[in-house]
């Protein structure tokens, strides 16, 4: 089945926040952000702005009617800065005017006098000064301290990854419309309608039942709208609450890039030990997470960093410690992988370092140490592993040995162009790490004309979750998909939603929908049995008809639901799903954190132009553990997108803050994301289809985040190509591997091209 949005998307008819028709009298907001990263506010001058044409009101901290606080996990983030500013772009004032232009013109007239304080942008420096968001956490298994003695080889080093701009096509924004009796209706481009509802209530002082948040769809989220859609919605809600007028704020791209947090940069130390057969014996890692100026989701992200610190490998002795370090950058936030990619990069670096020193291929080490069913993760859960299956299938299907030979041959014949290969196994845990968030609800109405309406807490952001939910209802009722409509996500229809995140949205909301539909189906079967005068157990619904003992009756779906309604049988249902089996004990740092894991292996081949440092990605070939995919078209799309986004993080996307904490890569002219030309020339995706039992919806494993980490393979493939050119190259583990860094690495430890080579190429 195609993505149900494909028609409206390709015709430009899908409704995003900016497509909502505006009510007459709608006002427009724009935020004034702090021009400096850290300091005490001496004075704020809004008087010119207030006099500007069209300006209705300029809101500052003192205008907040509720609590001036939007911090989720920790209440450490004011909606509007009051006494001090903690990052460049931190909202200080909110101008509301009759037009968008008027609001932005007024923002430009606001001035602020700030007594500057020292600016920290480096997480290790923050840690050294004791600037931690939460106390550090350590996961351990076995005993590393004694295990080092049993190691034949030990390698140590540092690995660093930079942040990443979400670059959702639709920027952040909200539109809030006052309703009667003090209520508010909030439209927001958010992954977390309930988070927006909570933040809007907090700053206005309204109870949750007076604030409805509704979302049709997002033009992308990637984690950037899990927590950080709250600010804009809360600002508009506050203004709409005070002015009793509709208020809209839709951020410009540069505002969005400057004011919102990104993927967390990490700086990490690793130490890895092997026995003489290259089995991993011990691993110690310390992660310094650059959290930015407020907690946001950083503690949860730090937790997932620890949960994924051994990626797809089994290591009997592990000690991993993580620090969430407070710096003066916009609060960094959720981004596809949620801290997992960062620690996976570190262990892959440790393996590459070992392989470099021992003069072998990383794949030899990787393959030997893949986690097997029954092996224990450092957090105590036992693996149900498909790691070796994916690896072996990838090796065979894509003929990795002959790729390897081909590259050797190519590299021996070419002086300027060098190819590199890397394999990247991925193991990603599915569930929110916060156990309480693993719940969802679904409201299903069957109308007496036979059509079906489904509401859940799931937010469609291009990932195709609505299509999957629609499939669930159509499959359970055995009716044509056209009969089903998946409604907008509304906090009035579905309360207390978890954000659409953690790759778990289709699982959680799909399972709730399955439960609701199944209950209605049971009641319909009873009605059918009465109508046909047969035993209920003989009844089945198939292809829009009631079957008795596998024989089609003339009672069809439409007649059946209409009969049920006339008999006053309820054909609506609201169901609650909570993921079973999961728990986590934070005191012991042990538990069954995940409902299941998704596995996969990517084979990446790149070609580096060793004169210029530029490169192309020839191919990324993947074997991915889908379970039993319920929608291969959507799942393949997710994997393709994930791979390209992961490659962007690892190769070209370079976020640059200067020492003053100002974002220098603040537009698409200075921040490069992969376009169609930098995407791999070939992406192959093969299914590791298995019908083994798992807790996914219809055994169709989650697919949102895991493929992102295939992109890490590109970094190591580039590294291998550079080494093919210059075996002595000094290549620090410092992503992204931009063309500039590639060029520096190629000519590090100088190995200038011989004259002969130059002549040949010319
Ligand atoms: N969001 C969240 C996530 O709140 N908790 C998680 O565990 C998570 N994991 C991945 C992505 N987003
Ligand atoms: Mo996410 S990083 O699943 O919001």
């Amino acid at each position: 089945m195609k993505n149900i949005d494909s028609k409206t998307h390709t015709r430009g008819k899908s409704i995003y926040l900016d497509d909502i028709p505006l009510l007459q009298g709608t006002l427009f907001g724009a935020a004034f952000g702090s021009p400096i990263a850290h300091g005490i506010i001496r004075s704020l001058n809004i008087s010119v702005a207030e006099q500007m044409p069209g300006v209705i009101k300029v809101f500052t901290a003192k205008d907040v009617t509720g609590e001036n606080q939007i911090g989720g996990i920790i209440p450490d983030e004011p909606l509007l800065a009051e006494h001090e500013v903690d990052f460049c772009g931190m909202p200080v004032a909110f101008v509301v005017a009759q037009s968008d232009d008027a609001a932005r013109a007024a923002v430009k007239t606001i001035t602020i006098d700030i007594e500057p304080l020292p600016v920290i942008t480096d997480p290790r420096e923050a840690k050294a000064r004791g600037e931690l968001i939460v106390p550090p956490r350590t996961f351990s298994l076995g005993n590393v301290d004694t295990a080092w003695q049993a190691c034949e080889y030990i390698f140590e080093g540092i690995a660093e990854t930079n942040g990443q701009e979400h670059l959702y096509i639709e920027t952040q924004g909200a539109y809030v419309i006052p309703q009667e009796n003090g209520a508010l209706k909030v439209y927001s481009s958010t992954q977390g309608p309930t988070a927006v509802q909570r933040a809007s209530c907090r700053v206005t002082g309204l109870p949750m039942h007076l604030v409805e948040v509704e979302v049709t769809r997002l033009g992308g989220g990637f984690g950037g709208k899990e927590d950080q859609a709250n600010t804009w919605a809360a600002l508009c809600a506050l203004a709409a609450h005070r002015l009793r007028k509709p208020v809209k704020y839709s951020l410009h791209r540069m505002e969005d890039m400057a004011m919102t947090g990104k993927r967390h940069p990490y700086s990490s130390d690793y130490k890895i030990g092997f026995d003489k057969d290259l089995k991993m014996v011990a691993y110690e890692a310390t992660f310094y997470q650059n959290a930015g100026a407020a907690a946001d989701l950083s503690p949860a992200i730090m937790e997932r960093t620890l949960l994924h610190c051994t990626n797809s490998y089994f290591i009997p002795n592990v000690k991993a410690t993580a620090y969430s370090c407070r710096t003066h950058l916009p609060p960094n936030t959720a981004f596809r992988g949620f801290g997992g990619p960062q620690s996976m990069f570190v262990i892959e670096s440790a393996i590459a370092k070992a392989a470099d020193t021992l003069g072998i291929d990383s794949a030899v080490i990787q393959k030997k140490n893949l986690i097997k069913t029954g092996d224990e993760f450092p957090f105590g859960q036992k693996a149900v592993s498909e790691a070796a299956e994916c690896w072996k299938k990838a090796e065979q299907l894509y003929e990795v040995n002959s790729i390897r030979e081909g590259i050797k041959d190519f590299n021996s014949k070419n002086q300027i162009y060098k190819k590199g290969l890397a394999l990247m196994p991925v193991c990603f845990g599915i569930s929110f790490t916060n156990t309480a968030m693993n719940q969802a609800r679904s409201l299903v109405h069957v109308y007496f004309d036979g059509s079906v309406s489904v509401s859940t807490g799931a937010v469609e952001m291009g990932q195709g979750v609505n299509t999957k939910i629609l499939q669930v209802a159509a499959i359970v009722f055995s009716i044509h998909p056209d009969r089903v409509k998946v409604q907008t996500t509304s906090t009035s229809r579905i309360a207390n939603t978890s954000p659409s995140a953690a790759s778990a949205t289709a699982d959680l909301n799909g399972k709730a929908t399955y439960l609701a539909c199944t209950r209605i189906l049971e009641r319909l079967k009873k009605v059918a049995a009465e109508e046909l005068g047969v035993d209920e157990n003989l009844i089945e619904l198939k292809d829009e008809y009631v079957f008795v003992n596998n024989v089609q009756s003339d009672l069809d779906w439409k007649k059946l639901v209409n009969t049920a309604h006339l008999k006053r049988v309820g054909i609506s249902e609201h169901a609650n799903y909570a993921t079973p089996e999961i728990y986590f004990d934070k005191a012991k740092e042990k538990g069954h954190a995940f409902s299941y894991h998704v596995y996969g292996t990517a084979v990446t081949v790149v070609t580096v132009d060793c004169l210029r440092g530029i490169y192309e990605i020839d191919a990324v070939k993947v074997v991915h553990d889908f379970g039993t995919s319920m929608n291969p078209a959507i799942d393949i799309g997710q994997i393709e997108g994930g791979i390209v986004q992961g490659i962007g993080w690892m190769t070209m996307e370079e976020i640059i803050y200067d020492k003053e904490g100002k974002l220098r890569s603040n537009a698409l002219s200075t921040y490069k994301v992969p376009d169609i030309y930098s995407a791999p020339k070939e992406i192959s995706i093969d299914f590791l289809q298995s019908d083994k039992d798992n807790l996914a919806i219809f055994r169709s494993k989650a697919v949102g985040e895991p493929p992102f980490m295939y992109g890490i393979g590109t970094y190591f493939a580039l590294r291998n190509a550079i080494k093919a050119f210059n075996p002595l190259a000094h290549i620090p583990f410092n992503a992204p591997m931009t063309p500039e860094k590639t060029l520096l690495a190629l000519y590090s430890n100088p190995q200038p091209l011989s004259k002969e080579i130059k002549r040949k190429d010319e």
Side-chain angles (χ1 to χ4, degrees), residues 20-148:
I20 298 170
L22 297 180
L23 290 181
Q24 209 162 30
T26 292
L27 303 175
F28 297 84
F32 168 77
S34 171
I36 78 163
H38 192 204
I40 304 291
I41 301 175
R42 286 199 200 105
S43 66
L44 175 69
N45 187 349
I46 56 169
S47 54
V48 180
E50 284 174 319
Q51 301 308 315
M52 291 283 284
V55 170
I56 304 293
K57 183 169 171 64
V58 181
F59 288 85
T60 63
K62 65 176 188 343
D63 299 306
V64 177
T65 50
E67 199 190 343
N68 183 23
Q69 183 54 245
I70 55 164
I73 296 179
I74 298 171
D76 67 348
E77 194 179 351
L79 175 67
L80 290 167
E82 194 164 1
H83 308 295
E84 70 170 78
V85 292
D86 302 309
F87 63 91
C88 277
M90 181 175 183
V92 185
F94 186 58
V95 176
V96 176
Q98 282 162 336
S99 75
D100 199 32
D101 288 347
R104 286 193 160 88
V107 163
K108 291 206 180 102
T109 68
I110 295 178
T111 56
I112 188 166
D113 180 20
I114 297 171
E115 181 184 324
L117 290 171
V119 174
I120 303 175
T121 57
D122 175 63
R124 289 184 191 252
E125 186 187 340
K127 149 80 170 48
R129 296 185 185 206
E131 287 289 339
L132 297 180
I133 300 272
V134 284
R137 289 175 68 178
T138 299
F139 282 21
S140 55
L141 179 68
N143 184 338
V144 280
D145 296 328
T146 54
W148 298 121

Side-chain angles (χ1 to χ4, degrees), residues 695-716:
L695 285 168
I697 177 72
F698 291 144
R699 296 180 186 166
S700 174
K701 284 190 173 183
V703 76
E705 293 169 290
F708 177 85
M709 284 146 281
Y710 292 140
I712 296 174
T714 302
Y715 179 92
F716 291 95

Side-chain angles (χ1 to χ4, degrees), residues 191 221-226 297 334-338 432 461 499-503 705:
Q191 293 172 240
F222 308 115
K225 296 169 183 170
E226 183 179 334
L297 293 163
F335 196 144
R336 206 170 190 172
F338 206 73
F432 285 97
M461 51 189 139
S500 286
S503 308
E705 293 169 290

